[in-house]
Amino acid sequence: WPSGWNPSNTGPCPNPPDPTGNTGGEQFWNCVDLTIEPASPLDTPAPVPVPPPVQPVTPYPSVAVDETCDVDLQMSIRLGYYNSESTCNPIDVTNIDVTDYTHVVYSYAAVDDSLTMQPTSTDDVAEYAAFITTLSGNAVPMISVGGFAQDNNLFSQAAATETSRSAFAASAVTFLQTHGFEGLDVSWEYVTSSADYGNFVFLIEALRTALGDEYVLTATISLDPEIANNYDYLATSQYVDWLNIKGFETTPSTLLEASSDLETIQNNID
């Protein structure tokens, strides 16, 4: 008998009459009545561990809604990204057509293990001067830090404390001064925890304090509803010149479908 079964509690199965009225035939093969009793204490399920309490998150202070809009900025910004990591029909930085742009963003720089802003590769450093020369007199040269390939944990650590945010902001100033960029875009892909959403605003604040008004500061925001609905736009808007709306990757894409859902984009903008 299997462990935990008591054969003393077994009994024969009832044998209902067969169609001829006889009661001798078995309806089931080797069937018995069983009483299953509790097994030994060794088989008792282990207690479910109680998770540790969730640490409270310090929210960013609420901001009053400003219904006014800077008329001078309406429809005046035409920004494009230069993808230095592209392997599909890559364009040399000297061949960028900046005719229709006011700002062009070199993407991407990285948050490295020291939690500071650094070039993604030495090859990028060699391109910076040519990129800025190509844009000279036509569009503002900016650089974006982060991107899809960025280790999200490093971004999270850089934004986690006042000390780490100040160090990252100082490194951003040094980066821009060293390489000649006139603006910084923050592309954290993606903010995912409640703590990081609050620290995102603190990080943008630290960057604005360090950069002052000398440099353009923007942040790229995803319109994926699972991400977009958690940003504190009002608090963030105090410190950026504007927000760049990332309208792609709002839906899973296939070879035959775009990853931009226009209805989702419109609903989230509203």
Side-chain angles (χ1 to χ4, degrees), residues 174-228:
T174 300
F175 189 104
L176 299 184
Q177 291 175 340
T178 300
H179 301 293
F181 290 97
E182 298 177 26
L184 175 66
D185 173 65
V186 178
S187 185
W188 183 345
E189 303 180 21
Y190 294 101
V191 183
T192 55
S193 72
S194 57
D196 282 346
Y197 278 109
N199 289 335
F200 174 78
V201 183
F202 287 120
L203 179 64
I204 298 298
E205 179 185 21
L207 285 166
R208 173 52 77 197
T209 299
L211 294 171
D213 296 327
E214 182 180 353
Y215 295 96
V216 177
L217 176 61
T218 65
T220 298
I221 303 294
S222 171
L223 278 184
D224 181 328
E226 294 185 3
I227 301 172

Side-chain angles (χ1 to χ4, degrees), residues 137-151:
N138 297 294
V140 176
M142 298 177 61
I143 189 162
S144 183
V145 58
F148 187 77
Q150 171 68 52
D151 185 337

Side-chain angles (χ1 to χ4, degrees), residues 117-136:
M117 180 175 169
Q118 301 294 336
T120 300
S121 71
T122 54
D123 291 339
D124 287 356
V125 176
E127 283 189 335
Y128 291 163
F131 174 82
I132 292 171
T133 299
T134 300
L135 271 59
S136 179

Side-chain angles (χ1 to χ4, degrees), residues 68-142:
T68 64
C69 180
D70 189 337
V71 178
D72 293 336
L73 283 178
Q74 291 182 8
M75 304 302 292
S76 65
I77 304 299
R78 297 184 299 279
L79 180 145
Y81 286 85
Y82 171 74
N83 185 0
S84 65
E85 303 168 356
S86 175
T87 57
C88 180
N89 298 323
I91 298 174
D92 188 273
V93 291
T94 59
N95 293 326
I96 300 174
D97 183 358
V98 299
T99 304
D100 295 324
Y101 297 97
T102 60
H103 300 72
V104 180
V105 183
Y106 188 101
S107 53
Y108 293 97
V111 182
D112 75 355
D113 292 338
S114 67
L115 305 184
T116 60
M117 180 175 169
Q118 301 294 336
T120 300
S121 71
T122 54
D123 291 339
D124 287 356
V125 176
E127 283 189 335
Y128 291 163
F131 174 82
I132 292 171
T133 299
T134 300
L135 271 59
S136 179
N138 297 294
V140 176
M142 298 177 61

Side-chain angles (χ1 to χ4, degrees), residues 7-42:
S8 64
N9 293 331
T10 62
C13 280
N15 294 319
D18 64 21
T20 63
N22 296 322
T23 60
E26 286 191 353
Q27 185 178 5
F28 304 101
W29 181 257
N30 289 339
C31 175
V32 293
D33 280 329
L34 297 177
T35 299
I36 301 177
E37 296 182 345
S40 66
L42 293 178

